[in-house]
Amino acid sequence: MGHLTKGNDELLKRIRRIAGQVAAIEKALTAGTDCTTTLHLVAATRGAMNGLMDEIIEEHVRTHVAHPDLAADDRAAGAEELIAVIRRYAK
């Protein structure tokens, strides 16, 4: 169950933006930028990662849990995978 069926290009663009945000954090730390500015960069990056996680979770639910053509075993497996991810994310 390792595929995304829709919006893959948009997700890749989002990942590239996040990579740019992480690079900006590194640059801020290297340059000795003030804490407030650096914290804002980290907060924005965290928000972007959370948004990415939301998109991928939504696609997983639609494709591997809620899709009407899924067999009961496939639906259960998709749900268990999602539960495992959420547990790890919540730590």
Side-chain angles (χ1 to χ4, degrees):
M1 289 190 210
H3 64 85
L4 293 172
T5 58
K6 67 174 187 177
N8 204 23
D9 289 339
E10 292 303 314
L11 290 177
L12 292 174
K13 287 178 188 176
R14 194 181 274 238
I15 288 290
R16 290 182 187 111
R17 283 192 299 271
I18 291 168
Q21 289 174 301
V22 171
I25 294 168
E26 181 180 5
K27 184 177 177 183
L29 291 172
T30 303
T33 302
D34 66 274
C35 294
T36 304
T37 301
T38 305
L39 285 169
H40 282 286
L41 291 170
V42 171
T45 304
R46 182 178 182 185
M49 288 296 291
N50 287 340
L52 175 65
M53 182 75 132
D54 291 347
E55 291 290 323
I56 295 173
I57 286 173
E58 179 182 345
E59 181 63 20
H60 180 83
V61 168
R62 291 183 189 284
T63 304
H64 301 292
V65 179
H67 196 280
D69 295 337
L70 286 174
D73 289 346
D74 292 336
R75 188 181 310 275
E80 288 301 319
E81 290 172 350
L82 182 58
I83 289 166
V85 168
I86 290 171
R87 283 189 178 142
R88 174 168 279 194
Y89 181 70
K91 287 184 179 184

